Amino acid sequence: MDKKNVCVAIDGPAGAGKSTIARAAASRLGLRHIDTGAMYRAAALEAVRRGIFLDDGPALGEMMADLDLRIEFADGVQRVYLGDEDVSEAIRTPEMSAASSRVSARPEVREALVRLQRELAKRGGSVMDGRDICTHVLPDADVKIFLTASPEVRAKRRLDELIEKGENASFEEVLADMKRRDYNDSHREHSPLVRAPEATLIDTSAMALDEAIEAVLSCIKEEA
Ligand code: DC
């Protein structure tokens, strides 16, 4: 197999370290990293800015029809633009985590973003991470991985990130938010988060970041 054109799909719950691990693995393999969660976050940011009710499917559908969402790659690292504005940092707030979980339940939003994700995957080898990549977006991916960790470990990692950014949060709040998002993501009607039966399960609860990256790399090397 041509390793430069390999297509790797990674799914898993919030805070499992998917994006960090996928980005590192992609960089080691010379592939692009496509972070689909960032696209749902950008759609949520635009909806909030336009004052659209986040559960209003038809209004969100209209917004998606003229949304100027662009994905660019700088040294394989994804940047997200709304028009000319680079929103890659603005979408990383707890408010956008909650808002993206709501807009991602709407089929009007999912259809438009899945189309974009499939187009991006056609342009060459990549590691794409999200919730429905193995099951729906790229069912023919060469390698499929389900990356997870216990809710407590995921909440602790998210809390550390927030503290590092200077934000105020308690472990209990972050854990409750994590469980709420797990529930929403895995119980929604359209493309809920489920492990594809053929995906390799990697539980990073007891792994340091380096070990998790190595586990993903060796899975890709074995299966691609
Ligand atoms: O991975 P993340 O936290 O950046 O994702 C933000 C939200 O988008 C999350 O609530 C789940 C949703 N999402 C989705 O429904 N499908 C994807 N492929 C990626 C993310």
Side-chain angles (χ1 to χ4, degrees), residues 7 21 40 51 55 84-85 91-92 99 123 131 140 156 172 177 186 201 212 216:
C7 171
I21 294 166
Y40 289 95
D55 304 311
D84 291 334
E85 182 188 355
I91 57 176
R92 302 279 158 208
R123 293 190 205 156
R131 304 290 189 288
D140 298 325
K156 173 73 172 67
E172 288 69 28
D177 177 60
S186 53
L201 177 71
V216 166

Side-chain angles (χ1 to χ4, degrees), residues 14 18-19 35-38 40-41 92 97 100-101 104 110 117 129-133 158 181 185 188:
K18 289 187 305 293
S19 291
D35 172 356
T36 63
Y40 289 95
R41 287 169 179 270
R92 302 279 158 208
S97 298
S100 59
S101 184
S104 69
R110 302 202 70 81
Q117 291 154 15
D129 79 86
R131 304 290 189 288
D132 59 341
I133 313 305
R158 190 47 62 92
R181 282 221 285 155
D185 293 348
R188 66 177 177 227

Side-chain angles (χ1 to χ4, degrees), residues 11 131 135 146 185-186 191-196:
D11 287 326
R131 304 290 189 288
T135 49
F146 191 84
D185 293 348
S186 53
S191 303
L193 170 69
V194 283
R195 176 185 164 197

Side-chain angles (χ1 to χ4, degrees), residues 80-102:
V80 186
Y81 288 81
L82 284 175
D84 291 334
E85 182 188 355
D86 182 344
V87 295
S88 310
E89 317 302 332
I91 57 176
R92 302 279 158 208
T93 63
E95 187 197 355
M96 285 308 128
S97 298
S100 59
S101 184
R102 280 170 67 188

